[in-house]
Amino acid sequence: METVPKKKTAMDRFLNFVERVGNALPDPASLFIILAIITLILSAVFGSMGASAVHPGTGKTIKVINLLTIAGFRQIWSQAVNNFASFAPLAMVLVCVIGAGLAERSGFLATFMQVVLGKAAPAIVTFVIIFIGINGNVAGDSAFVVLPPVAGVVFLSLGRHPLLGVFCAFASVAAGFCANMMLGMSDSLAYGFTEAAARLIDPNYQASPAINYYFMVASCILLSIIGTLVTEKFMVPRFAGEDLSKFELDEDVAHITPEKVSAVKKACIGAVLTILVIGLLCIGDDPILGDPKTHSVLNPKSPFMMGIILMVTLVLFVPGAVFGFASGKYKNDKDMFADISMGFKDVSSYILLCFFCAQFTKFFAWSNLGVVLAIHGAEALKSWHFTGIPLIIGMIIVSCIVNIFIGSASAKWAILAPVMVPMMMLMGYDPALTQTAYRIGDSITNPLSPLFYYFPLILGYVRKYDKEAGMGTVIANMIPYSLSFAIAWIVLLSVWVLLDLPLGPGGPIMLPH
């Protein structure tokens, strides 16, 4: 049982205020419609004014496009369905649900967590979930789909409010997105733009995607500890006293039997065999999943990296199916696919929201408002003439602000890198430091932005336990994580710079003289 609720602190009252204000906003679907309309109006206003910016990478002048024209109307009308069909996060979620939905609904993930963690203290469970979430970016965006609902079930099985699990899982995946113990897709994508920008100053610049590795490993450990402290010391008391009897915990998950333990072992064997098969496809002089030209599986364009969502789906699907049949939950394939179908039902509201989100996102891209805003933001940073730690903090802040308006990490860095990297190099700083500052800013505001691609998805998970929850509920409970992660990251990077520690292999703080 949870502790008796303590007296509300000033922070509690502030977060409750944020929650009330946020929940007073329209439904997310309506919000995206309103934002789409505002984007059309702003495109007309600034397009008529001739607002523009020079792209620092290409040297081309980018003008704000007026979409409230006959040509704009034709584009909006004809591309509506294509906008929805090509909305990348939607496809990723739907494919991932095939495996994640089965692994969750079969009971494998929750049972696995209970078997592995045993009777570990709740704080240890919290730490493990946050640590897994922070490292989830190695598997692309699949952690957004998989971890929050599982964490909710695990927390409920421990006698805690399930929303605690959902919130700490989402915060760790979103706000700690670039930290990891292993190099992943985000490292390769970021480095590609960093190298191109660095060669504007030094045509011979060459490093590797590992230039931030040491710092990101340290970040992963630090943020896992900070996230656990925030959850245990602040979030748990915030949810204390809630009546948990209204939440139904599946009996299949609540009781661990010898048969389930045996089923978990068989499922794990299935997962290991699946990983081994995938591993075999990644080895050799010309691996099947390697890039046809470079033969590297870590190349962003390799089948392995481009198919990482499918890989995660398979790694979840196989143990989910094995567990379901081994535990006796599934008698035949019809039972199994019925559970997968229910997994799609859980994200049905997200699918609806994606239609309106896709239209807004396209309108924003077509108008060039985001690009022009980002370029002017980067130029403003350059004009501040900061040096040292204040300059680095300034880059983080600019990245945070741009992150709210442009969801794609690669799109943001494609715009900011050609300004920030050369500017910092001319001041003597290595591109590794600039990339680190950007990636911090690109992470910490993710869970706070209603425009973030996976925000509607997490809202759907939250409404499973609280039908009245709105955007304010999510934002209010994300603020403690984002704020604490931001402070911890800024302090860590400042110490790293002051001690002149290498950020990763080939990633010093200062350029070699």
Side-chain angles (χ1 to χ4, degrees):
M1 297 296 293
E2 296 292 347
T3 57
V4 177
K6 65 176 184 178
K7 183 178 179 181
K8 285 189 178 356
T9 63
M11 178 59 78
D12 281 320
R13 292 193 292 271
F14 169 71
L15 295 181
N16 290 338
F17 170 75
V18 172
E19 182 173 357
R20 288 194 299 272
V21 172
N23 288 346
L25 294 172
D27 184 87
S30 298
L31 181 63
F32 282 120
I33 293 173
I34 293 170
L35 289 172
I37 294 173
I38 292 175
T39 298
L40 294 176
I41 295 173
L42 290 178
S43 75
V45 172
F46 288 103
S48 301
M49 293 171 57
S52 63
V54 177
H55 194 292
T58 63
K60 294 182 179 179
T61 299
I62 300 175
K63 297 181 179 180
V64 173
I65 304 298
N66 180 3
L67 297 179
L68 289 182
T69 60
I70 293 177
F73 179 79
R74 287 171 176 166
Q75 185 178 22
I76 292 169
W77 186 272
S78 63
Q79 295 299 313
V81 175
N82 287 336
N83 294 345
F84 182 49
S86 61
F87 190 58
L90 175 62
M92 291 181 183
V93 168
L94 294 182
V95 172
C96 197
V97 162
I98 297 174
L102 180 62
E104 180 195 353
R105 289 192 163 271
S106 67
F108 166 67
L109 288 175
T111 306
F112 172 78
M113 292 286 286
Q114 287 177 284
V115 169
V116 171
L117 295 174
K119 295 183 179 180
I124 299 298
V125 177
T126 300
F127 178 86
V128 170
I129 288 175
I130 291 176
F131 182 79
I132 293 173
I134 291 174
N135 283 278
N137 67 84
V138 175
D141 293 346
S142 57
F144 288 105
V145 185
V146 178
L147 194 59
V150 173
V153 173
V154 171
F155 268 56
L156 184 56
S157 70
L158 294 173
R160 289 185 152 183
H161 201 296
L163 285 182
L164 272 173
V166 174
F167 286 139
C168 79
F170 179 61
S172 60
V173 177
F177 187 75
C178 73
N180 49 54
M181 301 294 287
M182 296 173 57
L183 295 177
M185 184 185 297
S186 61
D187 298 278
S188 298
L189 288 174
Y191 175 72
F193 292 107
T194 300
E195 182 181 271
R199 289 182 175 178
L200 295 175
I201 300 297
D202 179 4
N204 298 317
Y205 176 83
Q206 185 173 4
S208 77
I211 54 175
N212 298 150
Y213 182 65
Y214 302 153
F215 180 81
M216 291 309 169
V217 168
S219 298
C220 182
I221 298 170
L222 175 63
L223 296 184
S224 296
I225 296 172
I226 295 297
T228 301
L229 290 173
V230 169
T231 302
E232 296 298 319
K233 300 299 183 182
F234 180 77
M235 297 298 289
V236 169
R238 180 171 166 78
F239 282 87
E242 292 277 351
D243 180 15
L244 301 183
S245 62
K246 59 185 176 181
F247 303 118
E248 295 184 5
L249 182 63
D250 192 329
E251 290 298 318
D252 289 337
V253 176
H255 302 291
I256 304 299
T257 63
E259 290 77 16
K260 288 181 183 177
V261 174
S262 175
V264 166
K265 292 178 180 178
K266 294 175 182 177
C268 289
I269 293 173
V272 170
L273 291 175
T274 303
I275 294 172
L276 285 176
V277 170
I278 295 173
L280 291 173
L281 297 175
C282 296
I283 61 176
D285 295 332
D286 185 14
I288 294 175
L289 294 182
D291 184 274
K293 295 180 179 178
T294 65
H295 309 305
S296 170
V297 294
L298 296 180
N299 188 305
K301 297 296 183 181
S302 71
F304 175 80
M305 297 300 286
M306 295 186 70
I308 202 163
I309 295 296
L310 177 62
M311 181 190 73
V312 171
T313 298
L314 289 173
V315 171
L316 290 172
F317 181 92
V318 172
V322 172
F323 179 86
F325 284 107
S327 64
K329 181 174 183 180
Y330 300 147
K331 304 300 181 183
N332 51 51
D333 61 329
K334 293 180 181 178
D335 294 339
M336 180 181 72
F337 284 109
D339 257 3
I340 295 176
S341 297
M342 291 301 293
F344 282 99
K345 182 180 178 181
D346 290 341
V347 298
S348 58
S349 60
Y350 176 69
I351 296 173
L352 170 65
L353 289 173
C354 280
F355 175 79
F356 301 106
C357 183
Q359 308 310 318
F360 160 71
T361 302
K362 281 295 184 180
F363 293 174
F364 206 63
W366 291 341
S367 68
N368 289 332
L369 284 167
V371 177
V372 171
L373 175 66
I375 293 173
H376 284 301
E379 290 175 346
L381 173 64
K382 190 175 181 179
S383 67
W384 291 344
H385 301 299
F386 285 167
T387 58
I389 302 300
L391 173 62
I392 295 169
I393 295 175
M395 285 195 296
I396 293 175
I397 293 173
V398 169
S399 299
C400 284
I401 295 172
V402 174
N403 186 43
I404 294 175
F405 295 98
I406 303 178
S408 170
S410 58
K412 287 191 292 288
W413 195 221
I415 295 168
L416 297 179
V419 174
M420 291 184 171
V421 172
M423 176 185 74
M424 293 290 283
M425 289 180 74
L426 292 174
M427 298 177 67
Y429 294 104
D430 192 87
L433 176 61
T434 313
Q435 178 177 288
T436 300
Y438 162 72
R439 296 180 74 187
I440 290 174
D442 181 49
S443 297
I444 53 183
T445 51
N446 280 337
L448 299 179
S449 173
L451 308 185
F452 184 52
Y453 292 149
Y454 295 100
F455 193 95
L457 179 66
I458 199 64
L459 181 57
Y461 290 146
V462 170
R463 284 177 172 171
K464 178 181 178 180
Y465 298 107
D466 182 0
K467 304 296 183 184
E468 303 301 318
M471 290 184 293
T473 305
V474 177
I475 293 173
N477 288 287
M478 289 299 103
I479 288 176
Y481 291 102
S482 285
L483 186 60
S484 60
F485 279 23
I487 294 172
W489 240 332
I490 289 173
V491 171
L492 180 63
L493 184 56
S494 298
V495 170
W496 216 277
V497 171
L498 291 174
L499 296 179
D500 196 23
L501 300 174
L503 294 158
I509 298 295
M510 306 300 295
L511 284 170
H513 294 292

